[in-house]
Amino acid sequence: MRAEISFGKSLIGILFVGLAAASCTTTSKPAVTAANTKKQGQPAKVTFNYTAKDRDCLQRAMYFESQHSDKDGYMAVGTVVMNRLTSGAYPPSICGVVAQKRQFAPGVMTREVKPQAETELASAADAILIKGARHPAVKDAMFFHTNGLKFPYDNMHYVTVAGGNAFYEKRDSNGMLQTPPPLPSYEVAMNYVPGESMLPPQFEALIPSAVPVPLPAPDPMATASTGQMRITAPVTAPETSPVTSVEPEPGMPIAIPTPRPAYDSVMLRDGLPANGG
């Protein structure tokens, strides 16, 4: 009898241990799944492209606006440029932000940067564009002026002074930013685009290759000294066909050059002929 009771207790103990082990195995899996889900759900960074010209524009703003000071002043101005770029309320490129009218120092895009400042400027620009660095005290500021000036506005929330400038945020009476807030640096990725042209694309000529381009015929009455030209026919005809004007197909664009008129027939602005006394 005792043996049966002992065997029963042992069997119950084995079942209890098995259920406990199964319970631990079951509860550990959702924790791993939740961690993986959170990692996969992290938002992607917002990417901004920049070129070598944009980098130069950033350095120019830092140099001329910080009174040629030091890296601390450079980083403060550079942070304002990046705050404006990522806020969505200003042009979508660094050069667009820096070159915006009546925003940064006059001549910021054209004046000469002294060679001795190039090394420190390049270091500050690389820290901002490559490492995502910002001046920590500038915060969300997108505005600054020369330190020591006073203004009667009550929406200027000052955050720091650096490089001879006082930096401030524009906030309303409730303490809310009056401009769209910039993205924090950890949500921004800067993508360098080498060799990107800053010029607008050129348009191709709209002259169909199948349609002959009309050329002005030489004037037999013109002399070599004056070189006067005039059109005797709308379009020169092919050599194998009679002299007739060639009409292009309907709907096909064609550019007709305007010949220079004879000198003695040119009218001046006041309506007097060119050879008039």
Side-chain angles (χ1 to χ4, degrees):
M1 184 66 180
R2 290 181 179 178
E4 292 178 356
I5 294 174
S6 177
F7 176 76
K9 290 182 178 180
S10 300
L11 181 62
I12 293 173
I14 294 173
L15 291 176
F16 178 78
V17 172
L19 290 174
S23 176
C24 292
T25 305
T26 305
T27 55
S28 62
K29 289 183 179 179
V32 176
T33 305
N36 293 336
T37 304
K38 182 178 180 181
K39 184 176 181 181
Q40 294 175 358
Q42 291 178 350
K45 291 187 176 182
V46 179
T47 303
F48 293 85
N49 291 333
Y50 75 98
T51 66
K53 180 63 177 177
D54 288 309
R55 186 175 181 272
D56 178 67
C57 290
L58 177 62
Q59 293 184 184
R60 286 180 160 276
M62 293 189 296
Y63 180 72
F64 291 111
E65 287 289 10
S66 64
Q67 302 178 12
H68 320 166
S69 60
D70 52 17
K71 190 172 181 179
D72 186 63
Y74 295 158
M75 291 297 295
V77 174
T79 300
V80 168
V81 174
M82 299 305 294
N83 283 350
R84 290 193 174 200
L85 175 68
T86 62
S87 73
Y90 294 89
S93 69
I94 294 176
C95 281
V97 169
V98 175
Q100 193 173 14
K101 292 183 179 180
R102 296 184 296 276
Q103 296 297 313
F104 287 88
V108 66
M109 300 292 290
T110 57
R111 293 161 61 190
E112 179 186 2
V113 177
K114 299 299 181 182
Q116 55 266 30
E118 290 288 348
T119 301
E120 201 162 26
L121 279 173
S123 176
D126 289 343
I128 290 174
L129 297 174
I130 299 176
K131 300 178 182 179
R134 301 288 189 272
H135 194 295
V138 172
K139 300 180 181 179
D140 292 338
M142 300 183 205
F143 310 94
F144 59 88
H145 59 71
T146 302
N147 186 34
L149 299 180
K150 301 295 182 181
F151 297 91
Y153 310 112
D154 56 2
N155 64 339
M156 301 170 71
H157 177 72
Y158 291 94
V159 292
T160 190
V161 174
N165 293 313
F167 295 81
Y168 64 95
E169 303 165 343
K170 287 186 177 180
R171 295 183 177 273
D172 59 22
S173 58
N174 296 321
M176 302 297 294
L177 284 173
Q178 294 179 324
T179 53
L183 295 175
S185 60
Y186 58 80
E187 291 185 7
V188 176
M190 299 302 297
N191 177 50
Y192 176 64
V193 183
E196 184 76 7
S197 174
M198 301 299 293
L199 299 176
Q202 303 297 318
F203 295 97
E204 298 180 358
L206 300 177
I207 301 179
S209 58
V211 179
V213 179
L215 299 175
D219 185 359
M221 301 302 294
T223 62
S225 60
T226 59
Q228 298 174 359
M229 301 286 288
R230 69 182 182 184
I231 296 179
T232 57
V235 180
T236 56
E239 297 179 359
T240 57
S241 62
V243 180
T244 57
S245 61
V246 179
E247 296 293 335
E249 297 180 9
M252 301 184 69
I254 183 169
I256 302 178
T258 304
R260 178 177 297 179
Y263 179 73
D264 55 2
S265 64
V266 174
M267 299 299 293
L268 299 180
R269 290 185 178 180
D270 296 334
L272 299 177
N275 57 356

